[in-house]
Amino acid sequence: MQEHENIFEAFLAEKGLKFTLPRKLILDTVFGLHEHFDAEQLYDLIHRVSKEVSRATVYRTLPLLVEAGLIQRSVRSESRDTFEHIWGHPRHAHWVCKVCGSVHETDMQDAVRILQAKARAQNFSLTEINLTLTGICWKCQNHATESQ
Amino acid sequence: MQEHENIFEAFLAEKGLKFTLPRKLILDTVFGLHEHFDAEQLYDLIHRVSKEVSRATVYRTLPLLVEAGLIQRSVRSESRDTFEHIWGHPRHAHWVCKVCGSVHETDMQDAVRILQAKARAQNFSLTEINLTLTGICWKCQNHATESQ
DNA sequence: TGTGAAATGAGATTCATTCTCAATAAGGAT
DNA sequence: ATCCTTATTGAGAATGAATCTCATTTCACA
């Protein structure tokens, strides 16, 4: 069994909840991904493998994964809530281009250390950090320049 | 005329758009606020003063204010998009308690400088910074301790 | 194997946001 | 001032992500 399964199972047990097959399928699909995803994409992916999991269960499981510390809400894309797994991944910042919509990531360890210190100082138990930087990427700036 | 009106009018003129009465009412109401707000709250506030502005116009104007750099999207509250004005306000981080839902703010100037330097280094034209820290505030931690 | 609680699927529901479209207003040109 | 073109608006319909309902199924444990 992979470690994220252990973590989720322990989390569920602690709350008197069960590690069912639908939850396992959702968890494994999430950790098979290496990109941000939303509930609908996840539902589609799971359906390629199995027709066993309903949309409702996908929506119900995602908040559990967040609470377990395995995934976190990410940059909102279009009108959908998006997620990304964070277990085993260093915290990173998201740079969102408002022209082409691209999202790219950069390391954030230095900022994380500062923020964790601030959290300790004010006795805030920090579990999620979301840093999003919006603007125009260099590619889109170049396009704008060319067309002038 | 207040400065935010000048900024918005210039922004609109630049795009061949008009500084109409509904847009002026929305702008002034936004800058009369000192808290985060969502479209519905804004619509209600404007209606206390005037029945002139429709919900559709509120929703249509908010993205213009974002684009003009006068407001920015803030922490999403419940299921609604929220905003806050940023013109004349230093950038700040949001600390969201996931138990009581409180949002409190702290200064972020030091982090902003680091991020602006990073943006320059990768030639990213930075316009918005959104830093949200989620966890449990000290009050809620104390409550949890008491009840054990 | 029986029992009670938790979980699920299917579809209905909710509700924030966006869209449609006919009517109106603005602002430059004459 | 009066056209004329284009932007804007309001009202309500439409959209669509997310949540809820509830009858049925599954699970864990005795």
Side-chain angles (χ1 to χ4, degrees):
Chain A
M1 197 190 267
Q2 303 183 55
E3 194 168 354
H4 54 256
E5 292 186 358
N6 289 327
I7 294 170
F8 195 37
E9 187 167 20
F11 167 82
L12 291 170
E14 170 107 6
K15 305 198 67 159
L17 305 177
K18 295 162 188 170
F19 190 43
T20 61
L21 184 61
R23 284 174 179 162
K24 184 162 149 49
L25 274 170
I26 292 166
L27 177 67
D28 290 346
T29 306
V30 164
F31 276 84
L33 286 170
H34 298 289
E35 309 253 325
H36 302 175
F37 61 91
D38 61 47
E40 204 61 28
Q41 292 169 335
L42 190 54
Y43 173 72
D44 288 345
L45 275 172
I46 293 169
H47 257 223
R48 291 193 198 153
V49 175
S50 158
K51 300 274 178 231
E52 301 298 319
V53 181
S54 74
R55 189 175 269 102
T57 299
V58 171
Y59 276 99
R60 279 189 284 237
T61 303
L62 286 170
L64 292 173
L65 293 174
V66 170
E67 206 183 337
L70 290 165
I71 66 176
Q72 78 172 197
R73 280 169 198 280
S74 181
V75 182
R76 204 155 204 268
S77 158
E78 308 290 315
S79 55
R80 293 180 181 168
D81 285 349
T82 62
F83 301 85
E84 62 186 324
H85 48 115
I86 54 177
W87 179 81
H89 287 249
R91 305 303 181 118
H92 52 265
H94 293 111
W95 301 77
V96 182
C97 175
K98 58 185 166 189
V99 175
C100 66
S102 68
V103 177
H104 109 258
E105 298 176 357
T106 59
D107 178 72
M108 202 173 88
Q109 289 307 302
D110 50 353
V112 167
R113 272 186 290 274
I114 295 171
L115 294 167
Q116 283 170 339
K118 283 195 183 182
R120 270 194 302 278
Q122 60 186 307
N123 198 23
F124 185 93
S125 164
L126 183 60
T127 54
E128 273 183 64
I129 300 174
N130 222 304
L131 175 56
T132 304
L133 302 137
T134 308
I136 304 174
C137 71
W138 68 272
K139 282 188 188 174
C140 289
Q141 289 178 63
N142 288 350
H143 292 163
T145 306
E146 282 164 20
S147 66
Q148 275 168 10
Chain B
M1 194 188 269
Q2 302 183 54
E3 193 168 354
H4 54 256
E5 292 187 358
N6 290 327
I7 293 171
F8 195 36
E9 187 167 21
F11 167 81
L12 292 169
E14 170 108 7
K15 305 197 67 158
L17 304 178
K18 296 160 187 171
F19 191 42
T20 60
L21 184 61
R23 284 175 180 161
K24 185 163 148 46
L25 275 170
I26 291 166
L27 177 66
D28 290 346
T29 306
V30 163
F31 277 84
L33 286 170
H34 299 290
E35 309 251 326
H36 301 176
F37 61 92
D38 60 48
E40 204 61 27
Q41 292 169 335
L42 189 54
Y43 174 72
D44 288 345
L45 276 171
I46 292 169
H47 257 223
R48 291 191 197 154
V49 174
S50 158
K51 301 273 178 232
E52 300 298 319
V53 181
S54 74
R55 189 174 270 104
T57 299
V58 171
Y59 276 99
R60 280 189 284 236
T61 303
L62 287 169
L64 292 173
L65 293 174
V66 171
E67 206 183 337
L70 290 164
I71 66 175
Q72 78 171 198
R73 280 168 199 280
S74 181
V75 181
R76 200 153 209 270
S77 157
E78 307 291 314
S79 54
R80 293 180 181 169
D81 285 349
T82 63
F83 301 85
E84 61 186 324
H85 48 116
I86 53 177
W87 179 80
H89 286 249
R91 306 304 181 116
H92 52 265
H94 293 111
W95 300 77
V96 182
C97 175
K98 59 185 167 190
V99 175
C100 66
S102 67
V103 177
H104 108 258
E105 299 175 358
T106 59
D107 177 72
M108 203 173 87
Q109 290 306 303
D110 49 353
V112 167
R113 272 187 290 273
I114 294 171
L115 294 167
Q116 284 169 338
K118 282 194 184 183
R120 270 194 301 278
Q122 60 187 307
N123 198 23
F124 185 94
S125 165
L126 184 60
T127 55
E128 274 184 63
I129 300 174
N130 222 305
L131 176 55
T132 304
L133 302 137
T134 309
I136 304 174
C137 71
W138 68 271
K139 283 187 186 173
C140 289
Q141 289 179 62
N142 288 348
H143 292 162
T145 308
E146 282 164 18
S147 66
Q148 275 167 10

